[in-house]
Amino acid sequence: MRRKPDVYAVIMAGGGGTRFWPWSRDTRPKQILPILSSRTMIRETVERIRPLVPREKTLIVTSRSQAGRLRQEVPQIPRRNLLLEPRGKNTAPCLTLAALQVHARNPEAVMIALPADHHIGRKREFLRTLGKAAEFASRGDFLLTLGVPPDRPETGYGYIQKGGLLGRVRGTPVYKARAFREKPTLAKAGAYLRRGDYLWNSGIFAWRADAFLSAVEEFLPGLHRPLQEILPFLGKRGQGKALDRAYARCPSISVDYGILEKARNVALLECRFGWSDVGSWSVLWNLRPKDKQGNVHLRGEESSPAKTLCIDSSGCVLRGEEKLIAVLGMKDTVAVEAGKAILVCPRRRSQDVPRVLEELKRRGWREYL
């Protein structure tokens, strides 16, 4: 009888959520906002994983600037399980830091890595799938990623091409990941959909801590060496300063580009639990209830719920905090007011909102960041 794996959850919660500006700000990032419900996204993520992974084995990686707010949102997570990066350097350093922590507790433990900004429609299926992923990952040195069968040609997601069958876990097939593709053009996304062997890259992973650290050493030695130097300080008083020194030398690189696109032991498990990456205002049009004209009206803060009004308009996403938001004769438009700033853009351009922040920085208008 196969032994049940020792499973840790690693929640990546350090991003700035710039595509949700002006609601999301430097001091109020996306993961501590109630974007999909009355609960913040980080609280939803922690509670969603809890039936599979206990709180004492749930780790959250975030930036030091966000630590205070996160502790308020999830006080049930032990303080030592909140891993604080000196600065965000993409997912490879983030996950390596977490893997070192998990490895120190149990080198053979499986870590399930997941972002804090996902929508999951079918929570029971989500937990069943993660249980299968952890079981398969515990069998050896596979780096397993979850892929989502696409239902439309989406240009905002990365894709993974499905290869040959590697094995099964509780009757579910696990495939070799043949190739990773970055966010495609609309034409390429349509071709991937027609082919049928491309899946959306969910950004959810499962692997043994020792297997992942071996991959970091092989493919990202410039990341592995500095972070190895923090080992004597883990959980001790000097950990913060050791991290400062290490992160100053670490490259800023994603785990997909730095490791998964190069490794030959990447496995792929299809998931069907109603997944969506909550990455921009346009995504909320797919996820939130609509009025008869297909408009999404998002509530403001409870203390001052602003009103929204649509006349002869369709396909819009509206949200205000203090002022009335009214649109007339508009189609597929985002109109958002928050924190003394207003954003208006076509819904299809909501992925480009970070360009607004770049211009604000260039002009020195930091009070709006």
Side-chain angles (χ1 to χ4, degrees), residues 269-314:
L269 178 66
E270 289 190 37
C271 55
R272 300 176 183 272
F273 42 65
W275 171 90
S276 180
D277 177 18
V278 186
S280 67
W281 289 109
S282 63
V283 174
L284 297 188
W285 188 80
N286 296 315
L287 298 177
R288 299 297 296 264
K290 304 175 184 64
D291 64 18
K292 293 181 181 179
Q293 287 72 46
N295 301 299
V296 171
H297 301 258
L298 302 172
R299 289 178 59 85
E301 303 297 334
E302 291 298 325
S303 59
S304 57
K307 294 181 173 61
T308 52
L309 178 64
C310 285
I311 300 174
D312 296 336
S313 300
S314 63

Side-chain angles (χ1 to χ4, degrees), residues 48 112-114 118-133 145-149 200 202-205 269-277:
R48 187 186 300 131
I112 296 172
L114 59 160
H118 284 177
H119 165 75
I120 304 297
R122 296 186 288 278
K123 294 180 177 60
R124 289 184 180 178
E125 181 61 24
F126 170 76
L127 293 172
R128 281 194 292 266
T129 302
L130 290 189
K132 293 176 183 179
T145 182
L146 300 189
V148 180
W200 287 333
S202 73
I204 302 174
F205 313 109
L269 178 66
E270 289 190 37
C271 55
R272 300 176 183 272
F273 42 65
W275 171 90
S276 180
D277 177 18

